[in-house]
Amino acid sequence: MASPFHILPDPQFPEREANTPQCGGSFPAAGLHPRPAWLKVRFFGGENFQELKRIMRGLELHTVCESARCPNQGECWEHRTATFMILGDVCTRACGFCAVTSGKPAGPPDEGEPERVARAVELMNLKYAVVTSVNRDDQPDGGASIFARTIASIRSLVPDCKVEVLIPDFRGSRAALETVVAARPDVLNHNVETVPRLYRQVRPGAIYGRSLELLRRAKERAPEMPVKTGMMLGLGEERDEVLQSMSDLVAQGTDILTLGQYLQPTREHLPVVRFVHPQEFAEYKQMGQEMGFRHVESGPLVRSSYHAFDQEQAARNNS
């Protein structure tokens, strides 16, 4: 499949040489060299971009595109796609990689948010909507009921629109997961983000085994529903650790895997240990397909919700 990214050729790496290290090998470390050319993207700020911005502000909605400083925001918004972020814009956790504001939310979740998200989906004329959230560990159900209501509101207002949800771990609550799965999202995503050795600094408050269990339970509860997860590379993980995590994820019944380059959002966040070459991502994609994932989206600028519709279609076609 052709790359969807606006990638410029890197004069340092015109081709992958035969003796270039394979996955997990040594490439220029962050801070020693400027960001490589394959991570440069074009800025899009046309009419669609401006219209989506007006819709989001007018309906008082948040997007992970903005809050997480996604490098693909311009392209996605110009193509009238966005990932809605519900449950407010303050996260109760402080992950080392994430640009979303962390702290204590000012109040309970906004009960009117699900209907406003559905209205935005209608105004944007979406056929595929992605909904994620901050962590809300201050809520008994972690915000699961708002997820369920958002799915129902979109289906009520825009019946033909498919809905993918990217959920937190709900602190391992089976009841919270059941609430979301019972709402019948078209795809359920929960990102493990990194290898277990790096969890303490990358995902404090999260547990690798708990995330695996969530994915397994979701698939057992709704076998026909594609289950998806994602990982960032470039945080210091080793090749064998990535492959072991991929094996762990396949064992839970995970259908779709996304792999992308970690990019440091601010100097206060974890540094990039190295920039992973596009060819390495291609190798991980091939190995993931051989392991049994129904679809693997792997590349420097891949994010879990980027071209999510295409990922879902590919997974169903390979079922």
Side-chain angles (χ1 to χ4, degrees):
M1 183 175 65
S3 170
F5 303 116
H6 299 284
I7 301 175
L8 304 175
D10 183 358
Q12 287 185 306
F13 298 98
E15 294 181 359
R16 184 75 180 266
E17 307 233 356
N19 60 353
T20 300
Q22 300 301 300
C23 293
S26 175
F27 282 92
L32 297 180
H33 298 281
R35 183 176 293 187
W38 62 78
L39 286 171
K40 295 178 181 178
V41 297
R42 297 176 185 173
F43 175 74
F44 292 79
E47 292 183 6
N48 284 333
F49 183 96
Q50 297 303 328
E51 183 181 357
L52 261 63
K53 190 172 184 178
R54 288 192 294 270
I55 290 172
M56 297 304 174
R57 297 298 82 78
L59 292 171
E60 298 182 324
L61 294 173
H62 306 289
T63 69
V64 75
C65 321
E66 299 166 289
S67 297
R69 304 187 182 188
C70 179
N72 302 315
Q73 179 190 350
E75 180 181 357
C76 290
W77 282 35
E78 191 59 29
H79 288 87
R80 302 185 69 84
T81 62
T83 298
F84 300 96
M85 189 174 74
I86 62 174
L87 301 174
D89 62 348
V90 177
C91 185
T92 54
R93 299 187 192 175
C95 294
F97 65 90
C98 186
V100 174
T101 301
S102 61
K104 183 177 180 180
D110 181 351
E111 294 295 332
E113 194 172 46
E115 288 73 26
R116 297 202 308 278
V117 170
R119 175 59 176 156
V121 169
E122 181 184 46
L123 289 172
M124 294 167 65
N125 194 30
L126 295 185
K127 298 299 182 185
Y128 195 95
V130 182
V131 180
T132 188
S133 77
V134 293
N135 283 281
R136 289 299 300 261
D137 295 331
D138 61 314
Q139 297 299 303
D141 70 346
S145 60
I146 300 294
F147 264 106
R149 284 186 49 212
T150 301
I151 296 168
S153 294
I154 293 172
R155 293 252 171 81
S156 176
L157 197 59
V158 192
D160 293 334
C161 182
K162 290 187 175 183
V163 184
E164 175 178 321
V165 293
L166 169 53
I167 62 173
D169 63 15
F170 298 127
R171 293 179 294 179
S173 169
R174 295 190 182 200
L177 177 61
E178 172 62 26
T179 296
V180 176
V181 174
R184 299 180 298 105
D186 292 281
V187 175
L188 186 139
N189 184 8
H190 171 70
N191 287 337
V192 296
E193 305 291 10
T194 189
V195 300
R197 177 176 60 84
L198 299 177
Y199 256 53
R200 181 169 295 182
Q201 59 263 46
V202 176
R203 293 190 72 196
I207 302 171
Y208 179 72
R210 186 164 67 190
S211 287
L212 292 182
E213 186 176 13
L214 182 154
L215 296 168
R216 177 180 57 78
R217 286 177 177 168
K219 194 62 181 178
E220 290 175 349
R221 174 64 177 79
E224 74 289 348
M225 175 184 68
V227 172
K228 174 178 172 181
T229 194
M231 295 177 62
M232 301 170 292
L233 304 183
L235 283 159
E237 69 288 332
E238 299 293 337
R239 174 181 181 274
D240 290 347
E241 292 177 307
V242 175
L243 295 178
Q244 181 59 57
S245 290
M246 290 169 64
S247 178
D248 294 341
L249 293 166
V250 167
Q252 313 312 310
T254 308
D255 300 291
I256 303 171
L257 173 67
T258 61
L259 298 171
Q261 171 72 50
Y262 167 66
L263 297 175
Q264 184 184 35
T266 74
R267 292 185 178 182
E268 285 69 44
H269 290 82
L270 292 172
V272 177
V273 175
R274 74 184 185 96
F275 292 114
V276 180
H277 194 279
Q279 182 59 35
E280 292 186 66
F281 280 107
E283 291 163 3
Y284 281 129
K285 177 182 178 72
Q286 181 179 350
M287 288 185 282
Q289 291 171 333
E290 293 170 354
M291 287 180 180
F293 288 105
R294 286 162 60 183
H295 181 70
V296 179
E297 194 79 15
S298 181
L301 289 170
V302 167
R303 299 295 181 264
S304 61
S305 57
Y306 185 67
H307 289 196
F309 173 77
D310 296 331
Q311 296 174 24
E312 186 264 351
Q313 287 293 101
R316 290 192 184 277
N317 291 339
N318 290 329
S319 62

